[in-house]
């Protein structure tokens, strides 16, 4: 009697996979190297948004849709490797928000934490949890998770800022909640400058305990920041990999100013170039002053004031300043540090 040929191991495995699939089971060994690669792999790409190119679209949008209609009139900065996702990195969101004279962006709150870095204009305001702050270019403004906030423009010109949010991080945990205020504006219960006076002057109210992981200071004025950065240039040489790099802190505990997004600012003196550096956090950068160049992977981007660029995690880059260059950045570093994931490499 002729022997019956045994099916190949490959076909036996495929049969097993088909039968398992009906029970929502899958073999790890077929995808292990994709799930846990030797080092980070991401579709996120290095990219640059020239403000001179983006601004006309933003102003045109200002003529076509009101802040009331839009709720928030924002152009999303979508990473070219993540189109359609409303993400600038795997973990972060970025957008350019415009508010015109006389407009109010209605009060609401959400579980996402938000930051604003003011790009253009003078005199508009944001109100956070009962306090209004007048915003100036370069100011770093925090909107903590689940705090009532609205924006308004009582000045004579348009106001533009960079919005940074941890939307993808919150979405990962399926913890997105949002609530619209019953009024257009939330009540103002504290005088302007109250938070900075109470918590941002090297003083704290006796017995104060912060109930939040966010800094109680919600506007870090650029005037103070710029003065501190330039003072550093008289105290020593810049770090070879980072320049004069500082982080925004929570004055209560000295930690990061926000629990999910690490915010930093650096000064590179004219003619200075950093050595190659990479870290596991993906970062968004905004040029506050000066001109220079960033080299990341095979990309070279020339930088001018108000330009925005993104560097994916674990991608080596260098920065060069042709003029004194001041750059703000935010990333998911603080979350990675708390979870024990963060890693950096200096060349």
């Amino acid at each position: 009697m002729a022997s019956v040929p045994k099916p190949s191991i490959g076909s036996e495995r495929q049969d097993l996979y088909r039968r398992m699939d009906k029970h929502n089971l899958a073999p790890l060994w077929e995808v292990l190297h994709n799930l846990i690669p030797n080092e980070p792999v991401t579709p996120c790409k290095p990219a640059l948004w020239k403000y001179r190119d983006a601004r006309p679209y933003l102003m045109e949008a200002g003529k076509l849709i009101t802040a009331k209609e839009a709720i928030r009139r924002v152009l999303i900065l979508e990473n070219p490797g993540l189109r359609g996702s409303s993400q600038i990195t795997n973990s972060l969101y970025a957008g350019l928000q415009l508010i015109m004279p006389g407009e109010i962006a209605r009060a609401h709150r959400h579980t996402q934490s938000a930051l604003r870095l003011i790009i253009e204009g003078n005199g508009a305001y944001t109100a956070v949890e009962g306090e209004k702050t007048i915003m100036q270019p370069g100011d770093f403004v925090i909107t903590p998770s689940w705090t009532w906030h609205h924006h308004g423009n009582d000045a004579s010109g348009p106001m533009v800022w960079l919005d940074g949010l941890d939307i993808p991080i919150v979405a990962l945990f399926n913890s997105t909640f949002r609530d619209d205020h019953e009024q257009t504006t939330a009540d103002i219960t504290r005088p302007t400058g109250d938070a900075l006076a109470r918590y941002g002057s090297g003083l704290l109210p006796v017995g104060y305990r912060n109930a939040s992981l966010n800094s109680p200071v919600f506007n870090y004025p650029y005037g103070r920041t710029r003065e501190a950065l330039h003072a550093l240039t008289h105290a020593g040489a810049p770090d070879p990999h980072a320049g004069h790099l500082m982080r925004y802190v929570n004055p209560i505990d000295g930690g990061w100013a926000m629990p999910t997004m690490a915010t930093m600012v650096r000064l590179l003196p004219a003619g200075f170039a950093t050595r190659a550096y990479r870290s596991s956090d993906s970062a968004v950068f905004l040029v506050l002053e000066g001109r220079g160049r960033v080299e990341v992977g095979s990309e070279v981007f020339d930088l001018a004031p108000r330009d925005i660029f993104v560097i994916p995690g674990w991608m080596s880059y260098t920065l060069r300043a042709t003029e004194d260059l001041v750059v703000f950045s935010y990333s998911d570093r603080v979350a990675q540090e708390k979870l024990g994931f963060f890693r950096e490499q200096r060349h």
Side-chain angles (χ1 to χ4, degrees), residues 48-322:
L48 171 71
W49 289 264
K50 301 293 292 184
Y51 188 68
R52 67 168 184 257
D53 295 333
R55 188 183 187 279
Y57 295 112
L58 194 57
M59 296 302 159
E60 185 176 352
K63 298 176 181 178
L64 297 176
I65 186 168
T66 65
K68 182 178 180 180
E69 290 178 283
I71 302 177
R72 295 294 187 265
R73 191 198 290 111
V74 178
L75 298 186
I76 300 170
L77 306 180
E78 280 199 330
N79 190 284
L82 301 168
R83 292 305 308 272
S85 68
S86 299
Q87 295 174 209
I88 195 166
T89 74
N90 294 82
S91 59
L92 299 172
Y93 162 98
L96 291 172
Q97 182 163 172
L98 168 68
I99 186 164
M100 299 296 287
E103 290 187 327
I104 293 175
R106 186 182 180 90
H108 65 194
R109 61 181 177 176
H110 40 68
T111 43
Q112 294 84 357
S113 298
L115 64 86
R116 330 283 175 194
L117 202 291
I118 314 309
I119 295 177
E120 176 185 343
N122 292 277
Y125 69 87
T126 189
V128 179
E129 206 68 351
E131 182 180 340
K132 179 189 291 188
T133 185
I134 307 301
M135 302 184 293
Q136 306 294 336
D139 288 0
F140 162 54
V141 180
I142 297 174
T143 304
S145 171
W146 208 241
T147 55
W148 292 113
H149 58 281
H150 66 273
H151 315 297
N153 189 349
D154 296 330
S156 58
M159 194 85 170
V160 180
W161 60 81
L162 171 68
D163 279 332
L165 286 87
D166 55 4
I167 292 173
I169 295 176
V170 176
L172 175 66
F173 293 102
N174 194 31
S175 297
T176 295
F177 295 91
R178 172 185 156 172
D179 192 6
D180 290 321
H181 202 284
E182 59 185 12
Q183 304 171 162
T184 301
T185 61
D187 291 337
I188 303 300
T189 58
R190 302 195 308 272
T192 298
D194 184 73
L196 189 62
R198 287 178 186 269
Y199 314 111
S201 302
L203 298 167
L204 289 174
V206 174
Y208 176 79
R209 296 289 184 272
N210 195 4
S212 166
L213 293 175
N214 291 275
S215 168
V217 176
F218 72 98
N219 187 345
Y220 292 73
Y222 184 55
R224 293 188 179 194
T225 300
R226 190 178 192 277
E227 182 179 349
L229 286 172
H230 282 275
L232 293 177
T233 64
H234 304 295
D239 180 274
H241 295 88
H244 296 293
L245 179 63
M246 303 286 278
R247 63 184 177 93
Y248 295 90
V249 300
N250 183 336
I252 305 303
D253 58 11
W256 295 99
M258 305 180 73
T260 53
M261 293 184 288
T263 50
M264 294 181 276
V265 64
R266 77 183 75 200
L267 167 64
L268 275 62
F272 178 79
T274 67
R275 296 177 185 172
Y277 171 85
R278 65 177 177 175
S279 56
S280 55
D281 58 324
S282 297
V284 182
F285 299 78
L286 169 64
V287 179
L288 298 177
E289 291 185 48
R291 296 178 184 275
R293 174 175 292 181
V294 60
E295 298 183 16
V296 50
S298 60
E299 301 282 359
V300 178
F301 300 133
D302 289 323
L303 305 175
R306 302 174 176 174
D307 288 350
I308 298 165
F309 61 99
V310 61
I311 297 179
W314 212 239
M315 188 167 286
S316 183
Y317 70 93
T318 60
L319 282 166
R320 178 180 296 276
T322 53

